[in-house]
Amino acid sequence: MELSSEFLNMILDSVTEHIVVIDKAGNIRFANRSWTAFGKNNDCDINDSWDGVNYIEVCDAAAQMGDDFGLKAGEGIRRVIAKEDAIFYFEYPCHSPQEKRWFMMRVTPFEVNQESFFVISHQNITERKLAEEAVKNLANLDGLTSIANRRVFDEFLHEEWRRCHRLSQPISLAIIDLDNFKVLNDKFGHQFGDKCLIDVAKVLKAVANRPGDICARYGGEEFALVCGDTTLEQIKLIADRLLLQVTALNDLDPNLSSGNYLTASIGIAEMRPETGKCESELISRADAMLYKAKENGRNRIEG
């Protein structure tokens, strides 16, 4: 059965993918209803008709504004038109103020009457991306305390070190160790000890609330706090608050308050990242200060 162009257009208008067809020059020769509706609903400058609009020029204009999508899309379309690639696709974020969104762009060629055309489609893959994000977040969290684990701490510190290096900003680190935690575990049991670790993690999480901060379970009863763009004097104020809040946990439980069992020693350090130095030096300095706090009586800050 031969299908009419009107029937084929109805099929294309019924699909949820955003689809356009461009010619070899990049001019749009067809746009389906989903493509047009998405443009209107997202304040696109082109609201009435996409016919004749040069999509490659639209991508180039976005690239000139610093849009990474525009740059990659323009390059990919050109490679397919030049037959350097058989097809092109990539995934990109397209978040709105109301929601997170991701799309997959795909470019495939075809010919009609020896004239080349190219189908460009954008498929919403938000549901998959959110599921992947959820799995990744679970893998990044410490199973007991639900804050970042040691692997994430190492990755974050490395990236924050590089960022502060580029911006010539200081980076500070606090390593927090719960004093006599074995005694607490032996006296009240491991389940109670786990509860204390969870409560301390909540205190840390409330403090690490900037993009350049992270709190993590460093290992056992040790925690770490990274603060980018932060001086030693500033992290000392944060550590003072932490120490008071950890000690205050004793007042919330009769078992702890009977002997003020839950206290912490904190070592703090600051460095300005420079060429030839690495984040392991910052860890060594904070670790040395932690041992000093232990030697000087515990339940204190050294740095």
PDB file of all heavy atoms in Angstrom, residues 12 19 33 51 63 76 90 119 126 141 152 189 212 228 232 234 245 257 287 294 298-299:
ATOM      1  N   LEU A  12       4.696  10.886  11.957  1.00  0.00           N
ATOM      2  CA  LEU A  12       5.823  11.601  12.565  1.00  0.00           C
ATOM      3  C   LEU A  12       5.355  12.572  13.642  1.00  0.00           C
ATOM      4  O   LEU A  12       6.055  12.785  14.649  1.00  0.00           O
ATOM      5  CB  LEU A  12       6.615  12.349  11.492  1.00  0.00           C
ATOM      6  CG  LEU A  12       7.397  11.458  10.517  1.00  0.00           C
ATOM      7  CD1 LEU A  12       7.946  12.284   9.364  1.00  0.00           C
ATOM      8  CD2 LEU A  12       8.524  10.736  11.246  1.00  0.00           C
ATOM      9  N   ILE A  19      11.805  15.717  16.037  1.00  0.00           N
ATOM     10  CA  ILE A  19      12.427  15.324  14.769  1.00  0.00           C
ATOM     11  C   ILE A  19      12.391  16.476  13.766  1.00  0.00           C
ATOM     12  O   ILE A  19      11.364  17.132  13.597  1.00  0.00           O
ATOM     13  CB  ILE A  19      11.709  14.110  14.149  1.00  0.00           C
ATOM     14  CG1 ILE A  19      11.820  12.906  15.085  1.00  0.00           C
ATOM     15  CG2 ILE A  19      12.275  13.772  12.769  1.00  0.00           C
ATOM     16  CD1 ILE A  19      10.998  11.713  14.627  1.00  0.00           C
ATOM     17  N   ARG A  33       5.601  17.783  15.083  1.00  0.00           N
ATOM     18  CA  ARG A  33       4.853  18.548  16.079  1.00  0.00           C
ATOM     19  C   ARG A  33       5.597  18.605  17.414  1.00  0.00           C
ATOM     20  O   ARG A  33       5.602  19.630  18.088  1.00  0.00           O
ATOM     21  CB  ARG A  33       3.471  17.926  16.271  1.00  0.00           C
ATOM     22  CG  ARG A  33       2.551  18.708  17.194  1.00  0.00           C
ATOM     23  CD  ARG A  33       1.171  18.088  17.198  1.00  0.00           C
ATOM     24  NE  ARG A  33       0.565  18.182  15.871  1.00  0.00           N
ATOM     25  CZ  ARG A  33      -0.372  17.348  15.417  1.00  0.00           C
ATOM     26  NH1 ARG A  33      -0.788  16.349  16.162  1.00  0.00           N
ATOM     27  NH2 ARG A  33      -0.879  17.521  14.199  1.00  0.00           N
ATOM     28  N   ASP A  51      10.513  25.912   9.130  1.00  0.00           N
ATOM     29  CA  ASP A  51      10.835  25.701   7.715  1.00  0.00           C
ATOM     30  C   ASP A  51      11.840  26.744   7.227  1.00  0.00           C
ATOM     31  O   ASP A  51      11.634  27.950   7.374  1.00  0.00           O
ATOM     32  CB  ASP A  51       9.570  25.784   6.853  1.00  0.00           C
ATOM     33  CG  ASP A  51       8.653  24.589   7.061  1.00  0.00           C
ATOM     34  OD1 ASP A  51       9.134  23.598   7.628  1.00  0.00           O
ATOM     35  OD2 ASP A  51       7.480  24.663   6.662  1.00  0.00           O
ATOM     36  N   ALA A  63      26.892  27.835  20.210  1.00  0.00           N
ATOM     37  CA  ALA A  63      28.299  27.578  20.549  1.00  0.00           C
ATOM     38  C   ALA A  63      29.037  28.875  20.861  1.00  0.00           C
ATOM     39  O   ALA A  63      29.860  28.933  21.776  1.00  0.00           O
ATOM     40  CB  ALA A  63      28.983  26.834  19.405  1.00  0.00           C
ATOM     41  N   GLY A  76      29.109  17.516  14.976  1.00  0.00           N
ATOM     42  CA  GLY A  76      28.612  16.190  14.620  1.00  0.00           C
ATOM     43  C   GLY A  76      27.810  16.199  13.332  1.00  0.00           C
ATOM     44  O   GLY A  76      27.961  15.303  12.485  1.00  0.00           O
ATOM     45  N   PHE A  90      24.873  11.892  20.638  1.00  0.00           N
ATOM     46  CA  PHE A  90      25.447  12.114  21.956  1.00  0.00           C
ATOM     47  C   PHE A  90      24.349  12.508  22.935  1.00  0.00           C
ATOM     48  O   PHE A  90      23.263  12.930  22.556  1.00  0.00           O
ATOM     49  CB  PHE A  90      26.580  13.149  21.915  1.00  0.00           C
ATOM     50  CG  PHE A  90      26.130  14.586  21.897  1.00  0.00           C
ATOM     51  CD1 PHE A  90      26.283  15.394  23.023  1.00  0.00           C
ATOM     52  CD2 PHE A  90      25.587  15.159  20.755  1.00  0.00           C
ATOM     53  CE1 PHE A  90      25.887  16.719  22.988  1.00  0.00           C
ATOM     54  CE2 PHE A  90      25.194  16.482  20.722  1.00  0.00           C
ATOM     55  CZ  PHE A  90      25.335  17.269  21.850  1.00  0.00           C
ATOM     56  N   VAL A 119      18.164  13.249   9.058  1.00  0.00           N
ATOM     57  CA  VAL A 119      17.174  13.264  10.134  1.00  0.00           C
ATOM     58  C   VAL A 119      17.902  13.556  11.446  1.00  0.00           C
ATOM     59  O   VAL A 119      18.873  12.877  11.796  1.00  0.00           O
ATOM     60  CB  VAL A 119      16.449  11.913  10.251  1.00  0.00           C
ATOM     61  CG1 VAL A 119      15.470  11.943  11.428  1.00  0.00           C
ATOM     62  CG2 VAL A 119      15.722  11.592   8.965  1.00  0.00           C
ATOM     63  N   THR A 126      15.440  11.297  30.202  1.00  0.00           N
ATOM     64  CA  THR A 126      15.512  11.733  31.598  1.00  0.00           C
ATOM     65  C   THR A 126      15.279  10.587  32.574  1.00  0.00           C
ATOM     66  O   THR A 126      15.991  10.457  33.588  1.00  0.00           O
ATOM     67  CB  THR A 126      14.494  12.855  31.859  1.00  0.00           C
ATOM     68  OG1 THR A 126      14.798  13.959  30.995  1.00  0.00           O
ATOM     69  CG2 THR A 126      14.541  13.322  33.304  1.00  0.00           C
ATOM     70  N   LEU A 141      27.817   6.582  48.480  1.00  0.00           N
ATOM     71  CA  LEU A 141      27.538   6.841  49.888  1.00  0.00           C
ATOM     72  C   LEU A 141      28.061   5.724  50.780  1.00  0.00           C
ATOM     73  O   LEU A 141      28.057   4.547  50.405  1.00  0.00           O
ATOM     74  CB  LEU A 141      26.027   7.003  50.110  1.00  0.00           C
ATOM     75  CG  LEU A 141      25.344   8.174  49.401  1.00  0.00           C
ATOM     76  CD1 LEU A 141      23.864   8.180  49.728  1.00  0.00           C
ATOM     77  CD2 LEU A 141      25.989   9.492  49.797  1.00  0.00           C
ATOM     78  N   VAL A 152      34.792   8.587  47.167  1.00  0.00           N
ATOM     79  CA  VAL A 152      34.263   9.872  46.719  1.00  0.00           C
ATOM     80  C   VAL A 152      35.047  11.020  47.332  1.00  0.00           C
ATOM     81  O   VAL A 152      35.303  12.038  46.685  1.00  0.00           O
ATOM     82  CB  VAL A 152      32.761   9.991  47.072  1.00  0.00           C
ATOM     83  CG1 VAL A 152      32.229  11.368  46.737  1.00  0.00           C
ATOM     84  CG2 VAL A 152      31.970   8.933  46.325  1.00  0.00           C
ATOM     85  N   GLY A 189      27.638  -1.493  73.199  1.00  0.00           N
ATOM     86  CA  GLY A 189      27.346  -2.378  72.068  1.00  0.00           C
ATOM     87  C   GLY A 189      27.555  -1.701  70.724  1.00  0.00           C
ATOM     88  O   GLY A 189      27.519  -0.471  70.616  1.00  0.00           O
ATOM     89  N   GLY A 212      31.728  23.781  47.307  1.00  0.00           N
ATOM     90  CA  GLY A 212      33.138  23.444  47.487  1.00  0.00           C
ATOM     91  C   GLY A 212      33.435  22.671  48.756  1.00  0.00           C
ATOM     92  O   GLY A 212      34.593  22.533  49.147  1.00  0.00           O
ATOM     93  N   GLY A 228      36.702  24.064  50.175  1.00  0.00           N
ATOM     94  CA  GLY A 228      37.416  24.867  49.194  1.00  0.00           C
ATOM     95  C   GLY A 228      37.237  26.348  49.471  1.00  0.00           C
ATOM     96  O   GLY A 228      36.287  26.769  50.142  1.00  0.00           O
ATOM     97  N   LEU A 232      42.715  28.660  56.995  1.00  0.00           N
ATOM     98  CA  LEU A 232      42.856  27.923  58.253  1.00  0.00           C
ATOM     99  C   LEU A 232      42.001  28.552  59.347  1.00  0.00           C
ATOM    100  O   LEU A 232      41.385  27.849  60.151  1.00  0.00           O
ATOM    101  CB  LEU A 232      44.331  27.903  58.675  1.00  0.00           C
ATOM    102  CG  LEU A 232      44.668  26.984  59.855  1.00  0.00           C
ATOM    103  CD1 LEU A 232      44.458  25.521  59.465  1.00  0.00           C
ATOM    104  CD2 LEU A 232      46.111  27.198  60.311  1.00  0.00           C
ATOM    105  N   GLN A 234      39.229  30.158  58.958  1.00  0.00           N
ATOM    106  CA  GLN A 234      37.813  29.868  58.694  1.00  0.00           C
ATOM    107  C   GLN A 234      37.454  28.437  59.050  1.00  0.00           C
ATOM    108  O   GLN A 234      36.401  28.181  59.641  1.00  0.00           O
ATOM    109  CB  GLN A 234      37.494  30.155  57.222  1.00  0.00           C
ATOM    110  CG  GLN A 234      37.515  31.632  56.870  1.00  0.00           C
ATOM    111  CD  GLN A 234      37.453  31.872  55.366  1.00  0.00           C
ATOM    112  OE1 GLN A 234      37.989  31.103  54.569  1.00  0.00           O
ATOM    113  NE2 GLN A 234      36.801  32.955  54.971  1.00  0.00           N
ATOM    114  N   GLN A 245      29.066  20.673  68.758  1.00  0.00           N
ATOM    115  CA  GLN A 245      27.869  19.921  68.388  1.00  0.00           C
ATOM    116  C   GLN A 245      28.036  18.427  68.645  1.00  0.00           C
ATOM    117  O   GLN A 245      27.074  17.740  69.014  1.00  0.00           O
ATOM    118  CB  GLN A 245      27.518  20.187  66.923  1.00  0.00           C
ATOM    119  CG  GLN A 245      27.047  21.619  66.680  1.00  0.00           C
ATOM    120  CD  GLN A 245      26.716  21.889  65.220  1.00  0.00           C
ATOM    121  OE1 GLN A 245      26.734  20.984  64.385  1.00  0.00           O
ATOM    122  NE2 GLN A 245      26.411  23.131  64.901  1.00  0.00           N
ATOM    123  N   SER A 257      25.424  10.797  78.399  1.00  0.00           N
ATOM    124  CA  SER A 257      25.556  11.917  79.331  1.00  0.00           C
ATOM    125  C   SER A 257      26.106  11.485  80.680  1.00  0.00           C
ATOM    126  O   SER A 257      26.691  12.293  81.404  1.00  0.00           O
ATOM    127  CB  SER A 257      24.202  12.608  79.530  1.00  0.00           C
ATOM    128  OG  SER A 257      23.246  11.698  80.056  1.00  0.00           O
ATOM    129  N   ASP A 287      46.455  15.101  59.163  1.00  0.00           N
ATOM    130  CA  ASP A 287      46.631  13.872  59.943  1.00  0.00           C
ATOM    131  C   ASP A 287      47.620  14.089  61.082  1.00  0.00           C
ATOM    132  O   ASP A 287      47.414  13.615  62.210  1.00  0.00           O
ATOM    133  CB  ASP A 287      47.112  12.758  59.020  1.00  0.00           C
ATOM    134  CG  ASP A 287      46.730  11.384  59.521  1.00  0.00           C
ATOM    135  OD1 ASP A 287      45.613  11.241  60.053  1.00  0.00           O
ATOM    136  OD2 ASP A 287      47.539  10.450  59.371  1.00  0.00           O
ATOM    137  N   LYS A 294      45.344  14.291  69.725  1.00  0.00           N
ATOM    138  CA  LYS A 294      45.231  13.096  70.567  1.00  0.00           C
ATOM    139  C   LYS A 294      46.265  13.128  71.692  1.00  0.00           C
ATOM    140  O   LYS A 294      45.963  12.842  72.850  1.00  0.00           O
ATOM    141  CB  LYS A 294      45.438  11.836  69.710  1.00  0.00           C
ATOM    142  CG  LYS A 294      44.359  11.565  68.683  1.00  0.00           C
ATOM    143  CD  LYS A 294      43.102  11.023  69.324  1.00  0.00           C
ATOM    144  CE  LYS A 294      42.107  10.556  68.292  1.00  0.00           C
ATOM    145  NZ  LYS A 294      40.839  10.109  68.918  1.00  0.00           N
ATOM    146  N   ARG A 298      43.072  14.942  73.755  1.00  0.00           N
ATOM    147  CA  ARG A 298      41.818  14.616  73.069  1.00  0.00           C
ATOM    148  C   ARG A 298      40.750  15.693  73.295  1.00  0.00           C
ATOM    149  O   ARG A 298      40.962  16.618  74.055  1.00  0.00           O
ATOM    150  CB  ARG A 298      41.291  13.239  73.480  1.00  0.00           C
ATOM    151  CG  ARG A 298      42.294  12.094  73.284  1.00  0.00           C
ATOM    152  CD  ARG A 298      41.756  10.775  73.813  1.00  0.00           C
ATOM    153  NE  ARG A 298      42.787   9.755  73.817  1.00  0.00           N
ATOM    154  CZ  ARG A 298      43.049   8.947  72.791  1.00  0.00           C
ATOM    155  NH1 ARG A 298      42.345   9.058  71.676  1.00  0.00           N
ATOM    156  NH2 ARG A 298      44.026   8.051  72.867  1.00  0.00           N
ATOM    157  N   ASN A 299      39.621  15.532  72.588  1.00  0.00           N
ATOM    158  CA  ASN A 299      38.510  16.479  72.688  1.00  0.00           C
ATOM    159  C   ASN A 299      38.980  17.908  72.443  1.00  0.00           C
ATOM    160  O   ASN A 299      38.656  18.829  73.182  1.00  0.00           O
ATOM    161  CB  ASN A 299      37.824  16.359  74.058  1.00  0.00           C
ATOM    162  CG  ASN A 299      36.475  17.097  74.078  1.00  0.00           C
ATOM    163  OD1 ASN A 299      35.846  17.274  73.045  1.00  0.00           O
ATOM    164  ND2 ASN A 299      36.061  17.517  75.261  1.00  0.00           N
TER     165      ASN A 299
END
